Amino acid sequence: MIALQSMPDHRQWLAVRQGQALTPRLQSHQYAAAELDEQSLQGNGWHVITGGLGGLGRLSAAWLAGRGAQRIALLVRRRHDDTADFTAYLHQCYGVTVTCLICDVADMMALNVVLNRLQADGGVAGVIHAAGIPDGSLFLAGSADQPATVLAVKAHAARTIYDRLREAGNPSYLLLYSSAAAALGSTGQTGYALASGYLDGLAYEAATDDNPVRVTSVGWGAWGETGMAADKSLQKAFASEGMGTLSDAEGLWHLEQALSRGSAYRLAMRVLPGRINADRRRLLQMPEQTPPPRRNNSTGTDHGFTGR
C-alpha cells in the first residue's frame, strides 16, 4: 500500500512484480538499425502472414519478398477476387513462391492444421500475425461481442502460433501486429486495446535468452494509406485524440526496424502534439505544452514518435 500511495497521480497503469511496483515508460529510439537487403530472409522455410490479403497483409508480403523470402504463405478467411493476380504479381516481381491457404485463425483447430502442414513442408521461418477484424465501425462504436471476437482473432491465435513455433524448436520470428490503443488507450477500441495488450505481454514473456522464437509486438498507430484506418472519418476521430497517420513507406520502415532490432515491443505511430492530452504527453515523455502567444494561433507541427 505504501508503494501504491507513492505513485504519481497521473499514472494510469501499474504492475506489481516480485514485490516491486512498476509503471510503464516509453523511450524514443535514438538510432536506426541497419537496413535489410534482398538476401536477408533467404531460406527454404515458409514466411506466414495471417490476414494475408488485407491491406497490411499485402504490404507485408511484398516487403518480405523484397527482403529475400522465397516461400510465403498467406492465411485468409476467404479468397478475394484478385487473389490470383496478387500472388502472380509477387511471383513475377520477386520470383517468390506464394500459396494462399483458407484458414480462420480464430478457429484454433484449423490454425493448428495449417501450421503443422507448413512445418512438415520445409518448416516455418517466421510469422507476421496481421489478422484483425475488417469492420472499421468497431473502432468507433464497440459491440457487445467485440472483445471476444477480437481476442479470438488476435490474442488466442497469437498464443497458438507462438506455441507451435516454440514446439518446433527452430530459430524463427513472430511479429505481432498490436495497436497503440494498448499503450495509450483510444475511444471505442476496448476490444483491440485488450487483445493488443495481450500481444504486448506475450512478446515480453517470450523475451528470454534461450528462446529460439524471437517475438516482437508492434503497437501500430493509424496507417493513412492502407488498412482499416485509411477511412477519412476514422482518421478524423484519431486526430481529435492526438494521433496522426503513417504513410505506407513509414510503416514499412518501422516494420523493418522491428525485425532488425528484435526488441520485444515497438510503438510506431505519429503524434499530433497540439492535440494530445496531458496524460499521454507524460507517458510519451513529451514536454508539457506551453500556451502559444496570443498573436500566434498555431497549434504546432506534426511529428513522428517511436518508442519502446
Side-chain angles (χ1 to χ4, degrees), residues 80-269:
H80 294 208
D81 292 339
D82 65 343
T83 298
D85 292 337
F86 178 65
T87 57
Y89 161 78
L90 291 178
H91 179 72
Q92 180 178 2
C93 290
Y94 303 102
V96 62
T97 298
V98 183
T99 184
C100 189
L101 303 174
I102 304 299
C103 176
D104 182 354
V105 297
D107 182 339
M108 299 303 108
M109 183 175 295
L111 181 57
N112 275 306
V113 168
V114 168
L115 292 175
N116 289 337
R117 170 183 167 184
L118 295 173
Q119 287 286 9
D121 181 23
V124 176
V127 179
I128 294 179
H129 184 34
I133 303 299
D135 184 1
S137 63
L138 292 179
F139 283 89
L140 298 180
S143 60
D145 62 346
Q146 180 194 1
T149 303
V150 177
L151 281 171
V153 172
K154 302 292 288 185
H156 299 166
R159 169 59 69 175
T160 297
I161 294 168
Y162 172 68
D163 288 345
R164 297 295 83 77
L165 291 176
R166 186 75 185 268
E167 289 171 2
N170 302 316
S172 57
Y173 66 86
L174 174 56
L175 286 177
L176 303 170
Y177 280 15
S178 178
S179 169
L184 302 179
S186 184
T187 303
Q189 294 194 55
T190 304
Y192 259 80
L194 180 62
S196 295
Y198 182 90
L199 298 185
D200 301 343
L202 177 59
Y204 281 112
E205 173 193 329
T208 60
D209 292 338
D210 60 345
N211 192 347
V213 186
R214 187 174 61 178
V215 184
T216 297
S217 185
V218 184
W220 289 115
W223 291 59
E225 300 170 355
T226 303
M228 291 180 280
D231 182 89
K232 295 299 182 183
S233 62
L234 287 175
Q235 292 179 18
K236 184 177 180 180
F238 291 144
S240 69
E241 297 187 346
M243 182 187 297
T245 59
L246 297 170
S247 68
D248 287 353
E250 289 173 321
L252 291 176
W253 181 84
H254 280 292
L255 173 59
E256 181 157 313
Q257 288 294 301
L259 187 61
S260 297
R261 294 173 67 95
S263 301
Y265 179 74
R266 182 180 185 88
L267 179 64
M269 64 179 294

